[in-house]
Amino acid sequence: MRFLLLRHANRHAFGQDQAVEYRKYRLCGAVLLPLNLALTGMVILVVTKNHTYHYPGTMIYAMGAYAFYSMITAVVNVVKFRRHNSPVLSAAKAINLASALVSMLALETAMLSQFGGDDSPLFRRAMTSATGGFVCLAVLGMAVYMIVRSTRKLRELKESPAVQ
C-alpha cells in the first residue's frame, strides 16, 4: 500500500486530482480489510496457543522505544495531515497508525512474557485479548471509514460537475 501511495506521490501533486486520490484512499481501505483478517488470526493464535514475542537482552527496550515513538508520531501525523486535503497523505498516515498499533500489541506480548514473572496465564491471556481486540477493531474501523468516506466523496465529486 505504501508503494502505491509513494508511486502516486512521485507522479502527482498532493490534492491536485481528488478523484484519483480518493480511489487510492478507498483501495488502501479495501486492502486493510484482508490484512485485518490476518491480524485477527495472529491475535487468536497468540491468545489460544500462548505464543509470545521474545527479544534477546536489552532489545526489548529498543522495541519499546520504537513502539512508543511510532505511536506518538502516527497519532500526531494523522491529526496534522488531515488539514492538507489530500486523501493519499491521509491514507499513508492511517497505514502508519495501523502499523504503530500492531507494534504496541507486539510490545505488550513481549513485555508480559519477559517481565510478567509469576503472572497467571489467565491474566496474560486477558490482557492480550483485550489489546488485540482493540487493535483489530481500530484497524477494521479505519478500513471501513476509509472506504465509506472515499465512496461518499467520489459520489459528491461525480455529481458536482453536473450541477454547474
Side-chain angles (χ1 to χ4, degrees), residues 110-131:
M111 289 182 76
L112 283 173
S113 73
Q114 188 159 347
F115 302 119
D118 296 331
D119 287 345
S120 71
L122 189 60
F123 172 75
R124 202 178 293 179
R125 184 173 285 178
M127 289 298 295
T128 306
S129 297
T131 305

Side-chain angles (χ1 to χ4, degrees), residues 8-148:
H8 176 82
N10 285 334
R11 295 180 181 185
H12 307 284
F14 293 117
Q16 186 180 31
D17 190 354
Q18 291 286 309
V20 170
E21 287 198 26
Y22 276 116
R23 279 189 221 103
K24 297 210 189 281
Y25 186 72
R26 183 171 52 190
L27 178 63
C28 286
V31 171
L32 272 178
L33 289 175
L35 288 176
N36 190 45
L37 284 175
L39 175 63
T40 304
M42 182 190 81
V43 169
I44 290 170
L45 280 175
V46 166
V47 170
T48 58
K49 303 288 185 191
N50 202 20
H51 289 288
T52 59
Y53 293 95
H54 296 282
Y55 296 104
T58 58
M59 183 64 93
I60 195 163
Y61 300 111
M63 176 59 187
Y66 167 77
F68 279 100
Y69 172 78
S70 65
M71 189 68 183
I72 291 167
T73 56
V75 169
V76 167
N77 285 337
V78 164
V79 172
K80 186 167 126 182
F81 282 93
R82 275 188 78 122
R83 290 181 265 152
H84 287 269
N85 198 26
S86 172
V88 168
L89 284 175
S90 294
K93 301 314 167 191
I95 293 167
N96 288 344
L97 181 59
S99 175
L101 287 169
V102 172
S103 293
M104 291 300 280
L105 176 63
L107 176 65
E108 178 190 295
T109 59
M111 289 182 76
L112 283 173
S113 73
Q114 188 159 347
F115 302 119
D118 296 331
D119 287 345
S120 71
L122 189 60
F123 172 75
R124 202 178 293 179
R125 184 173 285 178
M127 289 298 295
T128 306
S129 297
T131 305
F134 170 76
V135 169
C136 290
L137 286 175
V139 172
L140 178 66
M142 281 192 295
V144 170
Y145 174 78
M146 290 169 74
I147 293 168
V148 169

Side-chain angles (χ1 to χ4, degrees), residues 143-163:
V144 170
Y145 174 78
M146 290 169 74
I147 293 168
V148 169
R149 181 170 185 252
S150 61
T151 302
R152 285 182 182 159
K153 290 291 189 174
L154 283 169
R155 194 174 303 130
E156 287 175 12
L157 288 172
K158 196 177 204 181
E159 292 171 357
S160 65
V163 174

